Each structure stands twice: as C-alpha cells, then as structure tokens.
Amino acid sequence: MLALSALGGFLLAPELWFRGSSTVALAHTLSRELVQGHLNGSHTRPRLSADFGAAEPGDVILCHNPYGAYGYWTHAVLYVGNHQVVDSDDFARGTVLLDVERYRNYDEVMLLRPRVGKTLRQEAAAIARKQVGTPYDPLAPVWDTHSLYCSKLIWQDYAKVGVNLCPEDTWIVPDQLAASSKLAPIADWKS
Amino acid sequence: MLTTLKALVWSYLLLCFASFVCLASPALQRLCVFGWAVTVVWIAMRARQRGNGIACFIAAAGLLELPGGSLSLVSAWYAASGLSSEWPGGLMEFWYHPFMSLLELLPAVTIGNWSTAYLATCLIPLGVTAFCASAWLLTRRIVPAADRF
C-alpha cells in the first residue's frame, strides 16, 4: 500500500512539482542554502526607523534579512489595521495577530499596496483576521487551505476576493510578491 | 527486537520519502500514512510469528520514536522559552511531516497560544507507540501464537 502510494506520487510528481519552473528553482535554492544552515535568515541589525503610519488594511509588508534560504525577501505579512498584522511563520503558534512594530527588526522592510480598490483590500484583511489560528506548514502546496505560511496567506486571501497577485505556483515565496506588478511600493526602509 | 526495530525504522523512512514525493498532494500523503499503518500491522504480525511479545514490540516502537520525541521536547522548550531559532520546530516538522496532512484537519484554533497542530505533533511519539500496541493486539486473532511478555 505504501509502495503504491509512492508510485502514485512519482507518477503525479512531474505534473505537481514542475507546474512552474520556479518550483524547481526554489527546490534548488533551498537545498543549497539549507546545507549551509540558512533558513529564515538571521537578525543581526538594530531596529529600523520604519513608520507604519501610512499602512492601510490589506497592505503587504515584506521583510528582508540576510542568509534567507528562499530569496531576498525572507518574510511577508498582511497589515489588517489597528497596528496589527496577520503573520504565519511559527509552527508552535500557527497563524497569529501581532503588532506591526515588531517588523522593524529586519535589515529592510517594504510596504506594498495591491493595485485594487480599498473595498477589496479590506475584504482580504478581514479574511486574514479570520485565519488566525490556522496551522503553519511551509511544505503544504498553495492550493491546500488547511495550513498557511507567510506569502501563501497573502496570496490566498487576495485570491479569495478575486485578485491574482502573482501566477499560481505550487509554492509562492515573498520574492514573487515583490516582483508582482499588481503590488505598488509605498515605502521602503533600509538599515 | 532488532529485526522488528529495523522493519519499523525502514517503514517510517519509506513513509517520509513517499510523503515528500507526494508533497504537493495532501490527499496522496494521507494515503501514504494509511499505507504505513497497514505496514505496521504487518510488521506486528511478523513479530508475533517470530515469537516476540508485546513489550518487545512496544519497546521497538518507543526506540523508533526516540528522534521525534527528542525533537518534540527540544522544540517545546525553545518555544516556551521564547528562543528565536526556528530549527528545532522546523526539524520536528520535517520529521513528522507525513502526519501533517492529517493534523491540519484539526480545528484551526490555538490552545493557550499554542497551535493545535503543533500540540498534536508533540504527542505523535505517544500516539505512534499506542498505535503500535494496538496493531499488536489487532494481530492477536490473525496469529494465534502464545502471548508472552
């Protein structure tokens, strides 16, 4: 039975794994970085003087710190208003609601706004709030709705309101959001 | 016991491999876990035929869970202490990833700031050992060998 399941996986794997060439590139980057002990990057710098006053519900905050395993931007959160973000980054705590000020503890932080109406952005933020408590699993594909990770949360929430922030891949990383033409940079803070 | 332990270890490693091959399909991953459960029952049956007792089988299951149990303890200690390294939790998640497709079906809530999926993952060592004991008892009817401890 186990062997049959593995065989099924092998047969389906090319379709699922190679759906986007970025999946192969991601696997290559991850394997190269993980053996060097790089995962979510290291926090070595003091806090940025970022001002999140301009953020609106539905805005995307991208964070960079060095030695990330999957691209330049190592984290992404969705601003939901009241100085809070929805963050899916912690296996122990799952998807949580956190104060936006903690995201000054990165080497670079960028605030982006989806190029859609305010109503849609607020709807996406409301969906994100309801996802607090969802388990964190970076290995689950983007179409699985039972778990989240940082960039998947943002992509899924906007997909639910009919906005495709970037082409669907098996896994979506923050760099893909940064490269999206549907997200307009509002501010960029660097140390 | 060594033969049983080797069989259990190989079956789990094969499960991990199959689960990663099926990474993009949670449904296939769940099927892999079901296949592994059937395999464990088969290993229990073979252990019975060799004349092994239930204590021997449970001891092998306990040894199988030693790496995962250690990772669970370290990960919980890191998380409770507020330490920032993501490696203990990450390694635990990788080791128990075959079960994640099932654990994610739990209610998406937190219990005292802890994700239910995480708490359930920490209990997997106990759960797998208990399942192995159940598998042993299940084979009682299949293999009518004398029970001995």
Side-chain angles (χ1 to χ4, degrees), chain A residues 52 54-62 76-86 97 100 110-129 150 153-155 157-159 161 163 165 177 182-184 186:
Chain A
F52 294 108
E56 294 178 2
D59 283 353
V60 175
I61 296 172
L62 296 181
V77 295
L78 191 69
Y79 184 76
V80 293
N82 292 333
H83 257 268
Q84 292 175 318
V85 300
V86 175
L97 198 61
V100 70
M110 187 158 66
L111 179 68
L112 298 139
R113 184 162 296 153
R115 297 178 200 270
V116 297
K118 195 170 183 175
T119 311
L120 283 177
R121 286 187 268 124
Q122 286 176 337
E123 279 178 30
I127 291 170
R129 277 187 179 272
C150 61
L153 176 148
I154 295 166
W155 188 89
D157 288 349
Y158 272 97
V161 298
V163 178
L165 288 181
L177 295 175
K182 297 198 178 159
L183 285 157
I186 304 296

Side-chain angles (χ1 to χ4, degrees), chain B residues 88-143:
Chain B
L91 285 172
M92 184 177 82
E93 193 187 346
F94 267 84
W95 180 249
Y96 282 132
H97 194 262
F99 300 105
M100 288 304 294
S101 57
L102 290 170
L103 297 182
E104 286 160 4
L105 299 176
L106 289 170
V109 294
T110 50
I111 299 175
N113 274 347
W114 300 94
S115 162
T116 46
Y118 174 77
L119 291 174
T121 307
C122 288
L123 292 175
I124 285 176
L126 291 173
V128 166
T129 309
F131 171 73
C132 288
S134 305
W136 176 269
L137 294 171
L138 189 69
T139 58
R140 187 179 286 175
R141 286 176 184 250
I142 302 170
V143 180

Side-chain angles (χ1 to χ4, degrees), chain A residues 60-174:
Chain A
V60 175
I61 296 172
L62 296 181
C63 310
H64 159 74
N65 50 334
Y67 309 117
Y70 38 85
Y72 180 79
W73 297 103
T74 49
H75 194 33
V77 295
L78 191 69
Y79 184 76
V80 293
N82 292 333
H83 257 268
Q84 292 175 318
V85 300
V86 175
D87 185 339
S88 190
D89 184 40
D90 185 344
F91 182 39
R93 292 181 174 83
T95 306
V96 293
L97 198 61
L98 295 172
D99 191 312
V100 70
E101 292 300 320
R102 64 189 287 144
Y103 298 93
R104 295 209 263 139
N105 192 24
Y106 282 89
D107 285 43
E108 183 178 350
V109 172
M110 187 158 66
L111 179 68
L112 298 139
R113 184 162 296 153
R115 297 178 200 270
V116 297
K118 195 170 183 175
T119 311
L120 283 177
R121 286 187 268 124
Q122 286 176 337
E123 279 178 30
I127 291 170
R129 277 187 179 272
K130 288 181 193 161
Q131 289 179 313
V132 171
T134 305
Y136 167 74
D137 182 4
L139 299 177
V142 78
W143 49 78
D144 175 49
T145 55
H146 293 109
S147 63
L148 296 168
Y149 53 87
C150 61
S151 37
K152 174 179 170 181
L153 176 148
I154 295 166
W155 188 89
Q156 269 194 5
D157 288 349
Y158 272 97
K160 284 173 186 171
V161 298
V163 178
N164 199 14
L165 288 181
C166 61
E168 184 184 8
D169 261 328
T170 312
W171 287 275
I172 287 180
V173 296

Side-chain angles (χ1 to χ4, degrees), chain A residues 21-71:
Chain A
S21 61
S22 62
T23 304
V24 178
L26 176 63
H28 178 249
T29 305
L30 271 171
S31 55
R32 186 188 66 220
E33 295 297 323
L34 282 172
V35 295
Q36 297 179 64
H38 302 159
L39 190 56
N40 287 355
S42 61
H43 296 273
T44 54
R45 296 201 180 249
R47 289 165 68 84
L48 290 172
S49 54
D51 177 14
F52 294 108
E56 294 178 2
D59 283 353
V60 175
I61 296 172
L62 296 181
C63 310
H64 159 74
N65 50 334
Y67 309 117
Y70 38 85

